[in-house]
Every structure is written in structure tokens, then in C-alpha cells.
Amino acid sequence: MNRSFAQEPGHHIDAGFRLGLGNANIGTSVTARYFIAPKLAVSGMLSFSGPGGIALLVEKHFGIEDMPLQAFLGAGAYARFGSKAFFGTQAIAGLEYTFPQYPVMIAVDWKPELNLLRSLEFRPGGFGLTLRYRLDL
């Protein structure tokens, strides 16, 4: 079976693991993404960094012509739990490569955060490396 996954339309969830690097409240996490339109996705993260937290982002994806590579930009909110709870907004920008013959993708991203609860604090160091697997619905 010769199947291409790079630009395949249809309903699917991309699920995987994000290795967070830097000082972000939402760092290393399990992640899932669902495309609500061909170039618009909702992405969620469940973090195990520190006491744990959750994040929800809306992402716009931009394909690079004739390549299984795409750029994405997005924004959303997060909450971190524990003795010091945090809540704030975040942005994301990155590049993702989808392996053409396999339902696997790898991405690098930058996800800065702005804490709004407790104190106003900008955290610019939220870099990540994500590996996802496409699950068809």
C-alpha cells in the first residue's frame, strides 16, 4: 500500500509527546491536536513539568509548496497547578515535518508565556521538540 500522509485531508487526531526545553510553565507534556478546518487546529497539552498543568492553543498552519513541511502560528491559554498556581496566555510558532509514507511527524517550536496570575511575568524560553502520530477517526 503506497499511502501519503503529508497533505492528507480528513478527520484525524495527531497525538504524541513534547519535550519542553527552557523555563516555561507548560514544558514536557503529552499533546493532541485536531484540525477543525484544513489549516486550523486546536491543540492541547497535559504537562508533567513541576506539579503539572494544561494548555489549549488554536493554531494556523501554512504549508510549504511541494514539501511535507509546514509552519504554524498560534495562541492560547494555560494553567499550572500546585502550591504556586499560575494562569496565563501563550503563543506558539514552529515548523513541522510529516514523513510522507508514515503517519508520523516531528516539530520544533517556540512557545513563550505571559503569566497573569500572582504576578505579571513574561517567560520567553519555552522551546520544544514534539513527536506525533496520526490517528485516523
Side-chain angles (χ1 to χ4, degrees):
M1 176 189 245
N2 189 9
R3 186 172 176 186
S4 176
F5 291 93
Q7 300 295 330
E8 185 175 302
H11 296 284
H12 58 270
I13 292 176
D14 301 329
F17 183 76
R18 180 180 185 270
L19 176 62
L21 309 167
N23 69 343
N25 281 306
I26 306 298
T28 300
S29 54
V30 289
T31 179
R33 178 177 64 195
Y34 180 75
F35 280 85
I36 56 176
K39 300 286 182 184
L40 189 64
V42 176
S43 180
M45 296 178 197
L46 179 60
S47 177
F48 301 105
S49 299
I54 58 171
L56 185 63
L57 294 147
V58 175
E59 301 170 349
K60 176 71 174 165
H61 290 252
F62 305 91
I64 298 173
E65 194 171 323
D66 297 327
M67 292 184 70
L69 185 68
Q70 60 182 336
F72 58 92
L73 296 171
Y78 71 91
R80 188 178 107 178
F81 312 113
S83 60
K84 287 187 175 182
F86 292 94
F87 174 79
T89 62
Q90 57 190 353
I92 194 164
L95 288 172
E96 180 175 82
Y97 178 81
T98 301
F99 293 90
Q101 300 300 319
Y102 304 100
V104 175
M105 57 218 67
I106 189 166
V108 293
D109 66 62
W110 176 51
K111 190 177 64 60
E113 299 171 344
L114 179 63
N115 291 329
L116 300 174
L117 186 64
R118 294 192 176 269
S119 66
L120 190 62
E121 177 189 7
F122 179 64
R123 291 188 171 208
F127 297 95
L129 177 64
T130 303
L131 181 64
R132 290 191 182 99
Y133 182 83
R134 175 161 294 161
L135 304 164
D136 290 325
L137 300 178

